[in-house]
Amino acid sequence: MNVIIIGAGIMGTTFATLAKELAPELDITILERLDGPGAGNSWVFNNAGTGHEANCELNYTPVDEEVISVEKALKIHAQFNVAKQFWAYLIKNGAIKDPRTFINQTKHCTIVAEPAIEELRLRFKEMSAHHFFEHMRFSEEFDEIKSWIPYLMEGRPTHEKMAATVIETGTDVNFGSLTEQMAAYAANELGVKIEYGTHVKRVHRSPAGSWLIEAEQRGSAIQHRADVLFVGAGGGAFPILKKSHLPFRGRFTGFPVGGRFLQAPISEEQADQYRAKTYGKAKVGAPPMSVPHLDLRVADGQHYLLFGPFASFKPVLEKGRGFVDYLRSMRLHDIPGLLNVALEHFPLVKYLVSETFKGEKSMFEELESFAPGMSKKFNWKPVEAGQRVQIIKDGDLQMGTEILVSSDKSYGTLLGASPGASVSPEVMLRCLEQMLPAIFTKEKTKEKLKEIFPEDDLDKLINEPDRYREIRDAVNNQLGITWSGAQ
């Protein structure tokens, strides 16, 4: 069976690697617009690199009339546990030599001031009662919080009331490095073909029923045929979907959101003082994507601090592509949905427009508000992040991700953003189950699946504490993530 994947980012490369591991007989080719794998949104500084497992992100535990909902947090944490099983497998079989090249243990913290302290206390009570978050700690003591995240506390007056939670076993993930190493393994060991510099212009069904992919490769027109087509091209998945003539294509429109961070290089000694990702609380009326966070990042052995995000309205589908591409992707039936979002989510639109014109002075003021004294402590500079494209579905703005598979299972794509890369192995496994169900009936595939994912059942991870702890401890050991108890 001939399988074509569009996009050599974290999603497409994971799909290819996992598919070839489970079914070596598949003929798989990846077509990538850029000149290397993981160079788009997967690249290390095009995202915050948080190993999203709901340890510190308040928007994953929404509050409704003083009731904290943890269902979303539990699902995301379980998905990340499945992701870690896949990465541990890659380490174990030698596909990746050193886990530190892509994943590094980093505390996950949440910090709030009054009047959000009671909300954080309730969140801690609900979450720490579940085995997923049994190692979470909560404190209102200035010195204890300072011992967790000194850079956020050392410039504050000691009388300022703050509260924080910490989980020691969080991670910082370099998804660009992970993608590069997976792509090399897939190409050199598994036989996946990867064609770089290939910009897919259009896909459509041939009279014979296969998919015809029309592309431009370094200035020359080329064509590919596929029995099965998966599009993992980030924001670029939207125009491809529009040209596919699939019946559900008209239900979806892309809403692009850009972003910037402040970045500062730091020494390893300085990093030792702040091995953390610390999330705060979004301002009243601001969207979830505006939650401020100060993150330690590790890239190619170098250490950085990242603060942001500073969102913006940037009408392009992918970083490096222009406004004209976005216009060409639009259809008349998309206009009502965009207008509806502009009206229904006017505060979001207003926020994005205001953020777009925010200068460096305002960015540094926000950094000072979040971590007093930090703006002068290091050499910060603004950097542009990747481009996320949110889903507008049936006229409504969606904040998650969605798997779409055609009725005949020959076309699949992933739309949307957060938590995205962090849960890519689990999401790509579900894509494969929907698109290539026949391979999962084979005994060899079942055995391989168990080898890669000792436990991929999210409900079991959520509801069976001993099974979860068994899996968690095994994969953490493989990935170099340790828990030493209260410190």
Side-chain angles (χ1 to χ4, degrees):
M1 180 180 288
N2 181 27
V3 179
I4 297 285
I5 298 166
I6 300 175
I10 186 69
M11 293 297 177
T13 305
T14 299
F15 185 99
T17 304
L18 187 53
K20 199 69 172 173
E21 287 278 11
L22 295 173
E25 70 276 8
L26 293 174
D27 182 5
I28 299 179
T29 300
I30 303 176
L31 307 178
E32 169 55 47
R33 180 176 63 90
L34 301 175
D35 292 328
N41 282 346
S42 304
W43 181 66
V44 60
F45 290 121
N46 278 346
N47 58 75
T50 304
H52 283 296
E53 49 187 324
N55 292 331
C56 54
E57 307 91 335
L58 290 172
N59 52 309
Y60 291 160
T61 50
V63 181
D64 184 12
E65 297 182 356
E66 298 185 357
V67 175
I68 307 286
S69 173
V70 298
E71 284 75 15
K72 184 176 182 179
L74 295 179
K75 180 181 179 182
I76 289 171
H77 191 95
Q79 287 179 300
F80 190 73
N81 188 270
V82 173
K84 287 197 295 185
Q85 291 175 54
F86 179 60
W87 301 334
Y89 167 80
L90 294 178
I91 296 292
K92 188 176 181 180
N93 77 350
I96 295 176
K97 304 301 182 187
D98 184 354
R100 292 171 297 178
T101 58
F102 76 93
I103 189 167
N104 287 273
Q105 186 167 343
T106 309
K107 292 190 292 286
H108 282 187
C109 302
T110 306
I111 189 167
V112 300
E114 288 188 308
I117 291 176
E118 189 57 32
E119 178 187 324
L120 187 64
R121 190 197 314 276
L122 289 171
R123 180 180 185 270
F124 166 72
K125 182 180 178 181
E126 289 290 327
M127 295 184 73
S128 61
H130 194 277
H131 55 273
F132 279 1
F133 308 104
E134 60 192 357
H135 293 157
M136 180 183 283
R137 288 181 283 158
F138 171 89
S139 181
E140 295 180 67
E141 296 297 323
F142 185 94
D143 288 339
E144 185 172 25
I145 298 173
K146 185 178 178 181
S147 72
W148 300 343
I149 43 176
Y151 286 166
L152 267 85
M153 301 301 288
E154 58 190 19
R156 295 183 188 277
T158 55
H159 60 78
E160 186 174 353
K161 297 193 78 171
M162 307 291 292
T165 59
V166 63
I167 287 185
E168 302 280 351
T169 52
T171 54
D172 171 64
V173 185
N174 183 339
F175 292 107
S177 175
L178 173 59
T179 305
E180 287 178 356
Q181 293 181 79
M182 262 200 301
Y185 170 68
N188 298 331
E189 303 296 332
L190 300 181
V192 173
K193 297 181 284 293
I194 309 178
E195 297 186 12
Y196 298 111
T198 304
H199 187 186
V200 174
K201 300 287 191 178
R202 181 176 176 236
V203 303
H204 58 93
R205 300 299 292 268
S206 71
S210 60
W211 284 96
L212 183 65
I213 298 101
E214 299 177 6
E216 184 179 281
Q217 189 175 73
R218 309 193 189 283
S220 301
I222 63 167
Q223 289 187 347
H224 282 274
R225 289 183 182 273
D227 301 310
V228 173
L229 174 63
F230 175 73
V231 184
F238 285 90
I240 294 172
L241 176 62
K242 292 295 181 182
K243 295 174 183 177
S244 68
H245 298 294
L246 290 167
F248 51 69
R249 71 191 186 282
R251 299 180 61 192
F252 296 91
T253 306
F255 184 80
V257 179
R260 293 172 293 165
F261 283 93
L262 288 174
Q263 179 199 83
I266 62 174
S267 67
E268 187 168 356
E269 293 72 25
Q270 290 167 329
D272 285 337
Q273 297 180 49
Y274 184 81
R275 291 197 173 274
K277 290 176 179 287
T278 306
Y279 278 61
K281 186 174 176 61
K283 295 176 182 177
V284 176
M289 68 184 69
S290 68
V291 172
H293 47 98
L294 180 66
D295 301 337
L296 177 69
R297 301 299 320 275
V298 183
D300 301 323
Q302 301 298 309
H303 295 82
Y304 301 83
L305 288 176
L306 213 63
F307 175 74
F310 301 94
S312 63
F313 178 69
K314 194 171 185 181
V316 299
L317 293 166
E318 297 174 281
K319 193 174 179 180
R321 295 178 68 171
F323 176 55
V324 173
D325 276 349
Y326 180 57
L327 284 181
R328 285 175 177 169
S329 74
M330 301 292 294
R331 298 293 183 270
L332 285 175
H333 60 246
D334 294 330
I335 295 174
L338 287 168
L339 291 176
N340 184 64
V341 168
L343 293 172
E344 295 270 333
H345 299 273
F346 181 73
L348 170 60
V349 175
K350 183 180 177 182
Y351 165 79
L352 291 175
V353 172
S354 65
E355 287 286 288
T356 301
F357 296 100
K358 180 171 285 184
E360 285 188 35
K361 181 181 178 182
S362 295
M363 295 169 75
F364 282 112
E365 286 174 353
E366 288 199 23
L367 172 59
E368 276 295 302
S369 175
F370 192 71
M374 282 292 288
S375 65
K376 297 179 177 62
K377 191 177 181 71
F378 300 108
N379 183 26
W380 298 89
K381 66 175 183 178
V383 294
E384 186 178 356
Q387 187 75 2
R388 62 195 295 175
V389 182
Q390 305 287 162
I391 304 167
I392 299 175
K393 180 180 179 181
D394 299 329
D396 293 326
L397 188 64
Q398 312 285 311
M399 290 298 178
T401 55
E402 183 154 352
I403 298 170
L404 297 180
V405 176
S406 63
S407 59
D408 65 356
K409 305 184 187 302
S410 68
Y411 183 105
T413 190
L414 183 75
L415 304 178
S418 183
S422 295
V423 297
S424 50
E426 197 273 340
V427 174
M428 292 300 95
L429 174 60
R430 305 312 168 205
C431 278
L432 282 169
E433 288 173 341
Q434 292 184 49
M435 297 181 68
L436 298 168
I439 69 172
F440 290 89
T441 64
K442 301 176 181 179
E443 285 304 316
K444 284 188 177 181
T445 300
K446 291 177 182 178
E447 291 172 8
K448 191 67 176 180
L449 185 64
K450 211 60 176 173
E451 180 185 353
I452 298 172
F453 301 106
E455 187 56 79
D456 70 307
D457 187 323
L458 301 186
D459 288 335
K460 282 189 177 181
L461 293 169
I462 291 171
N463 296 311
E464 299 182 14
D466 290 342
R467 180 61 172 157
Y468 163 76
R469 294 184 186 111
E470 176 190 2
I471 299 297
R472 177 198 65 195
D473 294 346
V475 299
N476 281 355
N477 181 62
Q478 197 77 53
L479 296 172
I481 301 166
T482 61
W483 164 248
S484 56
Q487 297 178 359

